[in-house]
Amino acid sequence: MSEAKIVRKIAVIFVTDVVGFTKMMAHNEDLTLRTLRSCRGILDNLFQEHGGRIFNTAGDSVLAEFQSAVSAVVCASEFQKLIKQRNATLDPSEQMNFRVGLNMGDVIVEGSNLYGDGVNIAARLEAFCQPGGVSLSKSIHDFVNEKVDMSFSDLGNQQVKNTLVHAFDITLEGVEQRKAAAKATPDEEAFESKPPTIAVLPFKNMSNDEEQEYFADGVTEDIIANLSSWKSFPVISRNSSFSFKGQDLKTSEIAQELAANYIVEGSIRKGGNKVRITANVIDVKDDQQIWSKRWDRLLDDIFEVQDEVSQEVAALITPALKSKEHERAKRRPKA
């Protein structure tokens, strides 16, 4: 008896899941499931309108296929816009955010399900995506760029879970616009063969609430972990950075002790049920602040806030450091 023939086809894959779903479930299962059903209703209606077919679900994740790249991109964009509008009318406890990844590629058909690299890359782009955003592969972008009234941010080749993918973000209101670092010249590449080192100092607790000390340490530890996972620059270990906690030393002195070229520092200030988190990046050599951002968040879910801020800091710092290093390399005298 001959083996069943493997059926393949080209498909447009749409993958989405909820940001921080596990922590939301741990906090309030009933409310989270009701909220998920409401958001799924929005998504189901859009799939029906734009020709999407769900072929797999797992918890909060939804995988769907489209016949048209344009339809998938329009559907994803409209979904994020409708979710944002929904969230704006609700209490934070009832809000829900999603990431969406899109890819067009070869897939294996197994009954009503789909498998293969075409699906895997879409899932990896979804994981790479920012909360509230849509990330897509070059294969999708090249088809839709001239056909939809949207702007895209070219992020270049990105290493996502051991897969190199040329990624794009759809430019959406309220979502931080990421940019690819400029392509290095031969001089810059030579300079980057010895990449600079980053140290993340313990964030300072500016509140009288001692519990925020643990929160500040958690944010710091997560930033270190997230920066390390990007593998763009060496990151000083948590133990080394935390050895300077509470010490009255200048940033330049700490940097010298740690042999760090850049320092990430920040503070956390709590007021009622709100928290303000500030992060800065210091170029030690030039004694210059090259990046800074502030977040004001409700503390309904402290772990969700911790995850959001630490992931965003890591995602935004890396391009800033690369840009600074390219600028410095251009100033170096020719040999």
Side-chain angles (χ1 to χ4, degrees):
M1 183 175 178
S2 62
E3 293 183 0
K5 183 179 179 181
I6 295 177
V7 179
R8 295 179 178 271
K9 68 176 183 178
I10 300 296
V12 178
I13 305 299
F14 177 117
V15 178
T16 186
D17 76 356
V18 178
V19 179
F21 183 74
T22 301
K23 289 188 174 72
M24 293 174 72
M25 285 290 286
H27 182 68
N28 190 326
E29 286 187 350
D30 291 344
L31 178 59
T32 300
L33 290 175
R34 287 199 302 270
T35 304
L36 180 61
R37 290 192 195 105
S38 175
C39 294
R40 275 291 304 272
I42 295 173
L43 188 58
D44 290 344
N45 289 336
L46 287 171
F47 282 163
Q48 185 173 1
E49 179 181 351
H50 295 285
R53 179 189 74 86
I54 296 175
F55 64 85
N56 203 341
T57 61
D60 60 312
S61 299
V62 175
L63 290 80
E65 70 164 325
F66 286 77
Q67 300 300 314
S68 162
V70 171
S71 295
V73 167
V74 172
C75 180
S77 177
E78 289 186 2
F79 175 57
Q80 292 292 30
K81 289 176 183 176
L82 290 174
I83 291 297
K84 182 181 178 183
Q85 292 172 9
R86 176 190 179 278
N87 287 343
T89 65
L90 297 173
D91 184 81
S93 63
E94 299 179 74
Q95 295 176 10
M96 190 166 272
N97 293 295
F98 292 78
R99 298 183 180 93
V100 178
L102 301 174
N103 179 52
M104 181 170 64
D106 187 78
V107 298
I108 298 171
V109 181
E110 187 75 24
S112 61
N113 211 344
L114 303 176
Y115 302 93
D117 282 346
V119 177
N120 295 338
I121 290 173
R124 287 163 183 165
L125 283 166
E126 181 274 321
F128 170 73
C129 183
Q130 298 182 101
V134 179
S135 294
L136 51 130
S137 63
K138 189 174 187 295
S139 60
I140 293 275
H141 173 267
D142 289 350
F143 266 91
V144 306
N145 187 35
E146 302 296 330
K147 298 181 177 69
V148 295
D149 185 19
M150 298 181 191
S151 298
F152 300 90
S153 181
D154 187 348
L155 305 178
N157 288 328
Q158 297 290 332
Q159 191 77 27
V160 185
K161 291 188 178 179
N162 300 320
T163 300
L164 193 64
V165 181
H166 191 150
F168 291 78
D169 280 347
I170 297 178
T171 303
L172 297 173
E173 183 181 353
V175 179
E176 188 88 31
Q177 186 173 350
R178 302 183 289 187
K179 295 182 180 179
K183 187 176 180 180
T185 65
D187 281 347
E188 293 170 325
E189 289 174 351
F191 182 70
E192 290 181 345
S193 64
K194 294 183 179 179
T197 301
I198 311 169
V200 184
L201 300 185
F203 276 37
K204 295 179 180 178
N205 175 22
M206 309 299 288
S207 309
N208 294 324
D209 186 351
E210 291 185 2
E211 288 187 5
Q212 297 311 305
E213 196 72 31
Y214 298 104
F215 178 53
D217 288 350
V219 170
T220 307
E221 291 170 355
D222 282 356
I223 292 173
I224 292 172
N226 284 318
L227 277 173
S228 299
S229 70
W230 280 63
K231 302 185 187 304
S232 299
F233 299 94
V235 181
I236 299 296
S237 71
R238 183 254 188 218
N239 288 342
S240 296
S241 293
F242 271 76
S243 67
F244 291 92
K245 183 174 180 177
Q247 294 194 28
D248 187 19
L249 294 173
K250 294 181 179 179
T251 300
S252 57
E253 294 174 328
I254 297 175
Q256 185 174 1
E257 289 288 331
L258 293 173
N261 304 95
Y262 293 93
I263 293 289
V264 181
E265 58 183 12
S267 63
I268 292 177
R269 188 187 305 272
K270 181 186 176 187
N273 193 38
K274 293 183 179 180
V275 64
R276 170 168 291 179
I277 304 171
T278 304
N280 310 295
V281 179
I282 307 297
D283 178 347
V284 177
K285 185 175 181 180
D286 291 347
D287 191 23
Q288 182 183 54
Q289 179 175 295
I290 64 169
W291 181 88
S292 179
K293 185 163 181 178
R294 186 182 75 193
W295 294 262
D296 291 316
R297 293 291 185 270
L298 294 175
L299 276 176
D300 293 323
D301 188 338
I302 194 169
F303 295 110
E304 180 70 20
V305 174
Q306 182 175 315
D307 283 351
E308 176 193 352
V309 172
S310 61
Q311 289 172 13
E312 190 170 348
V313 168
L316 296 176
I317 282 177
T318 300
L321 263 60
K322 286 185 176 180
S323 176
K324 180 66 177 180
E325 287 302 307
H326 292 154
E327 176 188 329
R328 176 169 286 142
K330 290 176 182 177
R331 298 201 307 261
R332 294 174 69 231
K334 300 289 184 180

